[in-house]
Amino acid sequence: RPSLRPILFKPRIIDMLAIKMEAGVNVDTSGWVGESDLIQWYWETDVQKAPDGTARSAFLQKLAERQADRSEPETPESVFAPADLTVAEGLKGDRICRVIDGCLSFDHDIIGDWARQRVLLSHREKIREFIQGRLMLPVWHRAIRLCGLHYLERERDLTVWQEILGSLGDRTAEDIFLESVVFAADPRLILERMWSFLSVTGGTFLRRL
């Protein structure tokens, strides 16, 4: 499926898959539609399947949110509680995080983006309130697009995607969320599915896209 090549052939993604296959893990991509499926697979296999999976997921989201809000690529270990640092040790061993000179960061920026997507998904019911004040921070823009992509690629219809778009209450946020269709692995297919939505009211959303 050529549509997946731009996603799977990124050096960091190839590295992730190679490590899995070298360990004898069967990576079944047959059901993948796009990057949203890759993120879901990574979160389930590398983050949540560990014995402390829930704590790992919560810590990564907290770290990603803090770094985006403060525009800090690295966070001093001293700001975390001892329990968090215990979780961080396992994340370092799995090459999800790293520590240099007492500062904690993601092993790769893409993991931070994925963690921020999970943050937004968890705030689905109050996403408007959550993103207020954060739209001026470019790091959150990528997460908003990934959030939109999740609902475009992983939901059977566009109902949830349209509901969230309509709840954002901000022109900038709406435009970023709308852009998610462009970042789909197969944008033509999604555009065909959402054509009736894009073309209503004289094609308002189509022109904005």
Side-chain angles (χ1 to χ4, degrees), residues 145 148-149 152 158 161 165 171-184 186-209:
R145 293 188 189 101
L149 193 62
L152 285 176
L158 298 173
W161 185 87
L165 178 67
R171 176 68 181 245
T172 300
E174 290 174 354
D175 285 347
I176 296 171
F177 196 80
L178 187 61
E179 287 175 359
S180 59
V181 64
V182 181
F183 292 86
D186 192 349
R188 177 175 179 175
L189 178 63
I190 291 179
L191 281 168
E192 290 173 350
R193 287 175 55 204
M194 66 192 314
W195 183 254
S196 60
F197 167 76
L198 292 173
S199 59
V200 296
T201 62
T204 301
F205 283 106
L206 180 61
R207 285 195 294 271
R208 286 172 64 176
L209 178 62

Side-chain angles (χ1 to χ4, degrees), residues 21-51:
M21 290 186 283
E22 187 177 34
V25 177
N26 178 34
V27 182
D28 182 12
T29 65
S30 61
W32 290 10
V33 175
E35 187 173 3
S36 58
D37 296 301
L38 170 63
I39 299 172
Q40 189 73 22
W41 166 81
Y42 180 81
W43 214 256
E44 290 176 353
T45 59
D46 281 38
V47 178
Q48 293 180 320
K49 277 200 173 179

Side-chain angles (χ1 to χ4, degrees), residues 62-182:
K62 181 164 62 175
L63 176 63
E65 182 178 335
R66 175 191 167 96
Q67 291 188 344
D69 288 348
R70 296 171 178 250
S71 298
E72 60 179 27
E74 300 175 332
T75 303
E77 288 184 294
S78 58
V79 305
F80 296 106
D84 286 334
L85 293 178
T86 300
V87 173
E89 283 299 317
L91 295 170
K92 287 189 291 181
D94 290 340
R95 293 180 57 190
I96 297 175
C97 292
R98 61 185 172 186
V99 174
I100 299 178
D101 296 332
C103 289
L104 186 68
S105 64
F106 288 96
D107 191 66
H108 195 283
D109 290 343
I110 198 171
I111 303 176
D113 289 330
W114 293 353
R116 281 181 283 275
Q117 183 225 43
R118 311 313 286 188
V119 172
L120 292 180
L121 293 179
S122 70
H123 285 83
R124 169 180 162 180
E125 298 301 325
K126 295 186 177 181
I127 191 169
R128 176 177 180 173
E129 292 85 347
F130 182 81
I131 64 175
Q132 283 181 348
R134 290 183 164 94
L135 291 172
M136 66 191 72
L137 302 168
V139 178
W140 281 107
H141 293 188
R142 165 80 169 150
I144 293 171
R145 293 188 189 101
L146 288 175
C147 179
L149 193 62
H150 175 90
Y151 293 115
L152 285 176
E153 293 184 336
R154 294 188 57 82
E155 295 288 332
R156 293 186 177 183
D157 57 46
L158 298 173
T159 303
V160 177
W161 185 87
Q162 291 180 26
E163 288 176 353
I164 295 175
L165 178 67
S167 71
L168 294 174
D170 181 275
R171 176 68 181 245
T172 300
E174 290 174 354
D175 285 347
I176 296 171
F177 196 80
L178 187 61
E179 287 175 359
S180 59
V181 64
V182 181

